[in-house]
Amino acid sequence: QKEVEQNSGPLSVPEGAIASLNCTYSDRGSQSFFWYRQYSGKSPELIMFIYSNGDKEDGRFTAQLNKASQYVSLLIRDSQPSDSATYLCAGDRGSTLGRLYFGRGTQLTVWP
Amino acid sequence: DGGITQSPKYLFRKEGQNVTLSCEQNLNHDAMYWYRQDPGQGLRLIYYSQIVNDFQKGDIAEGYSVSREKKESFPLTVTSAQKNPTAFYLCASSIRTGGSEQYFGPGTRLTVT
């Protein structure tokens, strides 16, 4: 079982819609979760991190964490064509080693 | 400007040659990481280092070697023992280990023929 799993997509939404990206994790000891955006041919860019149950909002982005159900999600409101990218979910394992486990990513396309 | 630099951006090598990829950061981060990304795949951890002169193997360390002689630098050597070296190599760093966010360099795309 993979530590972090994402729907591989691709996900396609119209401009202005809400894009919802989901991720599940297997280790109940995991504490920290991260969302990265990766444009084609580029390196991942950190866009959100969340440590506590509930929602965390930053502009058009909202990260949601539900530790009881072991899932993390990213909502992108008012989606723009420039949001078209692959989104990577990552989590730790609650140990002190600090390494992150990455999902395979969900490819998002926002069409005008 | 603070950040992570990787060089070169593109690297071409013949099979059987060792090659070293550079990673430097001026963020004063303690921890550094090397990942490999193949098309359609997630990131796979090669090696990571929490402090100077210490490093640990990740999930796919075979055929790779690293050193951490300075806090700012974490070079990766891809040896001839690595069976499928062609990939996108990403270096990252974080303030500390234990769940802190990681920031990535621009990456090096290695092609071995």
Side-chain angles (χ1 to χ4, degrees):
Chain A
Q1 183 181 10
K2 293 200 179 293
E3 288 83 2
V4 174
E5 296 207 54
Q6 295 181 250
N7 292 335
S8 59
L11 176 65
S12 181
V13 301
E15 186 174 356
I18 296 175
S20 178
L21 304 158
N22 300 308
C23 172
T24 59
Y25 62 94
S26 59
D27 188 341
R28 284 197 172 273
S30 298
Q31 299 290 325
S32 311
F33 301 90
F34 307 86
W35 283 100
Y36 289 84
R37 177 176 61 199
Q38 186 174 24
Y39 292 115
S40 181
K42 302 294 186 183
S43 63
E45 172 193 8
L46 180 67
I47 54 172
M48 291 285 289
F49 58 88
I50 186 166
Y51 299 147
S52 303
N53 258 341
D55 295 359
K56 179 181 179 182
E57 189 174 315
D58 183 2
R60 296 186 297 111
F61 298 98
T62 299
Q64 299 174 317
L65 173 59
N66 184 323
K67 291 189 177 181
S69 301
Q70 294 178 244
Y71 82 76
V72 190
S73 62
L74 179 70
L75 301 178
I76 306 175
R77 289 182 301 281
D78 189 24
S79 296
Q80 301 296 310
S82 58
D83 294 325
S84 298
T86 296
Y87 289 80
L88 303 172
C89 172
D92 69 359
R93 286 191 69 178
S95 69
T96 58
L97 295 180
R99 58 167 295 179
L100 295 182
Y101 294 82
F102 285 82
R104 290 195 169 196
T106 299
Q107 186 179 345
L108 171 67
T109 300
V110 181
W111 45 276
Chain B
D1 282 340
I4 305 170
T5 57
Q6 291 186 244
S7 60
K9 187 173 181 179
Y10 298 97
L11 189 54
F12 299 88
R13 279 293 182 269
K14 293 289 187 185
E15 203 172 298
Q17 293 179 331
N18 291 354
V19 60
T20 297
L21 281 58
S22 168
C23 177
E24 304 275 335
Q25 54 97 1
N26 61 3
L27 301 168
N28 200 32
H29 285 178
D30 288 325
M32 298 185 74
Y33 309 80
W34 274 106
Y35 294 90
R36 167 182 174 143
Q37 188 175 38
D38 295 283
Q41 301 287 320
L43 303 181
R44 291 187 289 169
L45 183 66
I46 304 172
Y47 269 99
Y48 61 107
S49 168
Q50 300 173 63
I51 56 172
V52 173
N53 293 321
D54 185 56
F55 47 83
Q56 288 80 40
K57 292 181 179 180
D59 297 323
I60 55 166
E62 185 176 349
Y64 300 98
S65 66
V66 293
S67 63
R68 186 88 185 276
E69 297 176 1
K70 298 188 298 182
K71 188 175 185 177
E72 302 79 20
S73 178
F74 190 40
L76 173 75
T77 296
V78 184
T79 75
S80 56
Q82 168 50 232
K83 291 184 170 51
N84 297 298
T86 295
F88 188 36
Y89 289 88
L90 292 157
C91 178
S93 70
S94 64
I95 293 176
R96 64 186 187 284
T97 55
S100 63
E101 53 271 30
Q102 294 181 16
Y103 297 92
F104 286 84
T108 292
R109 200 167 295 276
L110 172 65
T111 302
V112 176
T113 58

